[in-house]
Amino acid sequence: MKATNDLALKEWAVVIKAMLKGRQILLLRKGGIEEDAFQLRSDEFWLFPTYEHQSLHRIRPEFHDWLTEKEQAHQHSKVTLEAYGVVSTAFRVPHADALQALTDEHIYNEEHIQQRLRYKPELPLYVLAVRIYRAPTPHVIDYHPDYAGCRSWVPLKQALPTDEAVAVLSDEAFAGKLQRLKTALVLY
């Protein structure tokens, strides 16, 4: 793992919460509105919480209580970065059935998955298998206008240390989840 990193990947705050709880290791990526297509710019990054597009109607009902009213009405001034991700592997999703087989591995509902597949249908949908590490003390940074917009990657104004970050899942637990992803995505 890098000692410091100044690159962040935008993701819904509720998904970051799921990853920090060890509930989910996968991220769905197709690219933001401001991008032609998703590109994996780095296999290590901070997860930058976003609030604009997350909503109750995009996650399964059993996770609705993870998305608080405060998060739904979030105002920018400070950003808390506490999840650091290292990509283990990336998969191109062949079709919806592959993701249907992974329902127990993520918090997204079927409607959201179908929407992601329909959005820019000429572009592939990727699943990133990400090992998450928690910073011992969350980094609270000032929000900057450069962080705005519907894009995947955010260059941070300063590199943040990753030392002492601890894996959320044990090696064994992560390997088990990764194997389930590989099995489901390779079978289809």
Side-chain angles (χ1 to χ4, degrees):
M1 189 169 15
K2 296 177 181 181
T4 65
N5 199 333
D6 65 353
L7 185 64
L9 179 68
K10 286 185 164 186
E11 186 54 70
W12 292 348
V14 70
V15 170
I16 295 172
K17 187 180 288 188
M19 296 181 94
L20 284 168
K21 289 177 181 262
R23 175 65 184 82
Q24 175 171 326
I25 68 165
L26 67 87
L27 293 176
L28 299 178
R29 305 312 292 186
K30 198 175 241 193
I33 293 170
E34 297 178 14
E35 300 166 325
D36 292 329
F38 177 73
Q39 294 180 352
L40 187 60
R41 288 181 45 190
S42 175
D43 61 356
E44 290 189 34
F45 43 80
W46 289 99
L47 284 165
F48 189 102
T50 62
Y51 303 87
E52 289 80 14
H53 301 292
Q54 70 177 5
S55 67
L56 293 176
H57 77 273
R58 294 180 181 203
I59 61 175
R60 297 201 322 266
E62 60 265 38
F63 303 105
H64 283 184
D65 62 334
W66 288 9
L67 184 57
T68 65
E69 286 182 35
K70 177 184 171 191
E71 288 174 325
Q72 293 181 66
H74 183 353
Q75 299 295 319
H76 294 297
S77 62
K78 299 284 185 184
V79 180
T80 301
L81 302 173
E82 63 180 314
Y84 189 76
V86 177
V87 175
S88 174
T89 190
F91 304 93
R92 190 173 176 165
V93 177
H95 51 75
D97 291 345
L99 289 175
Q100 184 67 24
L102 292 170
T103 299
D104 291 340
E105 297 298 327
H106 59 77
I107 67 170
Y108 310 111
N109 65 20
E110 182 61 27
E111 178 185 338
H112 176 67
I113 290 172
Q114 291 302 323
Q115 182 270 332
R116 294 303 303 151
L117 289 165
R118 286 190 305 267
Y119 174 72
K120 294 185 179 182
E122 70 282 5
L123 298 177
L125 178 63
Y126 293 97
V127 168
L128 303 181
V130 182
R131 180 105 189 245
I132 297 297
Y133 296 82
R134 182 188 303 271
T137 304
H139 300 285
V140 180
I141 62 172
D142 290 327
Y143 183 82
H144 192 279
D146 290 350
Y147 301 158
C150 291
R151 57 197 166 106
S152 299
W153 298 102
V154 175
L156 301 173
K157 296 300 175 188
Q158 64 187 56
L160 302 175
T162 63
D163 59 335
E164 299 183 31
V166 177
V168 170
L169 294 172
S170 68
D171 292 346
E172 205 171 78
F174 181 77
K177 284 185 171 289
L178 182 59
Q179 186 56 48
R180 283 189 288 284
L181 288 183
K182 287 179 178 179
T183 299
L185 291 168
V186 171
L187 283 177
Y188 292 94

